[in-house]
Amino acid sequence: MKHETVLIIDFGGQYNQLIARRVREAKVYCEIVPYKKAMEKIKEVKPEGIIFTGGPSSVNDPGAPDIQAEIFDLGIPILGICYGAQLTAKTLGGSVAKPEKREYGKTEINYTGGKLFKDVDKSNICWMSHTDQIDKLPEGFTITAATHDCPVAAMENVDKKLYALQFHPEVEHTVQGYKIIRNFLFEVCALSGDFTSDSFIDDKVRLIRQQVGDKKTLCALSGGVDSSVAAVLVHKAIGDNLTCIFVDHGLLRKNEGDDVERIFRDEFSMNLIRVNAQERFLSKLAGVTDPERKRKIIGEEFIRVFEEESKKLGDVEFLVQGTIYPDVIESGTDEAAVIKSHHNVGGLPEDMKLSLVEPLRELFKDEVRNVGLELGIPEYLIFRHPFPGPGLGIRVLGEVTEEKCDILREADAIYREELEKAGLGRKIWQAFATLPDVKTVGVMGDERTYSYMVGLRAITSTDGMTGEFYPIPYEVLGTISTRIVNEVKGVNRVVYDVTGKPPATIEWE
Ligand code: XMP
């Protein structure tokens, strides 16, 4: 079954992912396509609707991104946003000019009608960010919104189902902007919103069976959200032909290894091989203090262990990976690719010659979580904070030893337990304890102590690229500190990191 599809034609705007998120939130499947591939993709997927994004160029610049005029004659509804609106105007015979005043920020707007603004308050606030604007309408269009400085804040040609907005409905500052996008999807394109978790699961199970048949398939399961959901989905499709390898490098959080084993082997009855490789990793890490070196060692050892185990299984043809949509979009740009390579620890051997099964390639993180819940994976696993591939290897600062990992595991478990008790777990994007290679003097009872200091980190973020420290209330911090110092032997001091990213990174190494 083909899902209803909206194609988002990318002209380089900064909010493109946000547009896709809004469409998906309305349970409509969408994909972002570079403008140069627009026509090709439209012919391939036959979308029910098209959205043009904003972009940094001026449509009047030589060589600015453009679009073939025939796209407007296909009878498919089109919504142009910002640059996309200007491009619509210019391509259809209107014109675009630079006004005296650039419009930027929250702006009062008046909507004067049209399907797009059904049930939207006539006088409202929108988010403007443009230097050019439409100054002459193309034939057949009427104006449907205006601001003080922008007489054509929206236009439409109802007969041809063409709509254009100078402002950005996808950003939160546009009051009822989400409603405007929904009106485009449901009033103009007449979609039903058929992209739900259960329809996704049914479709994928069928497609995975088609792809894999009765061939043996392998999955490197880390216990993280993406690999867990991918593994359970593939297991639902092919059952015992899937084998999961879980490499326990001894750098996991408290109880994590046992939890993974219990959930996937016992509850889901999956073939799971747990490789207890703690000693191997620790002996390779002995005496190493440089963070990048530690990352490299852990990454390489991980690949070696995985290879050894998979060889034992014989003929394997497919490999499951938990790639998700933001990874796919990001890997399209050079800059993002550089950031990613730094985080590729835990990657798999490139020369294994296995075909990939990537069942989550089209999904955003929140959709992956919904699918995971629908598949019956426990909530605490689905809403886990991100955890880096090298694990405690980069949270025990300096040399990694078993003793230090044990201390950190205990402190970290208390920290996260108290955050959950205080109802903060889901408000924070990532929270963890670190163990600097620092001992400080303390006094407990009548005795002087000389023990480790623990650092606490709590960050709010959407993607880990930037973030702010989360202001945990002092009482909660006090409880955490008291419990850690009382309950974790070898710790006599707790400090709280109040640095954002930038200038700090989220991890301390
Ligand atoms: P930083 O410390 O770079 O972290 O601000 C951003 C996000 O990436 C995670 N991180 C890693 N993940 N391998 C991973 O798989 C790594 O080597 C690595 N280093 C950092 C970090 O936990 C945060 O979510």
Side-chain angles (χ1 to χ4, degrees), residues 295 342-345 386-390 394-395 429-430 432 464 501 504-509:
R295 276 195 170 80
H342 163 71
H343 288 162
N344 260 348
V345 176
F387 186 64
I394 53 164
R395 290 184 180 170
W429 192 73
Q430 194 173 15
F432 56 88
K501 172 184 179 176
T505 51
I506 296 176
E507 302 291 344
W508 282 22
E509 277 196 341

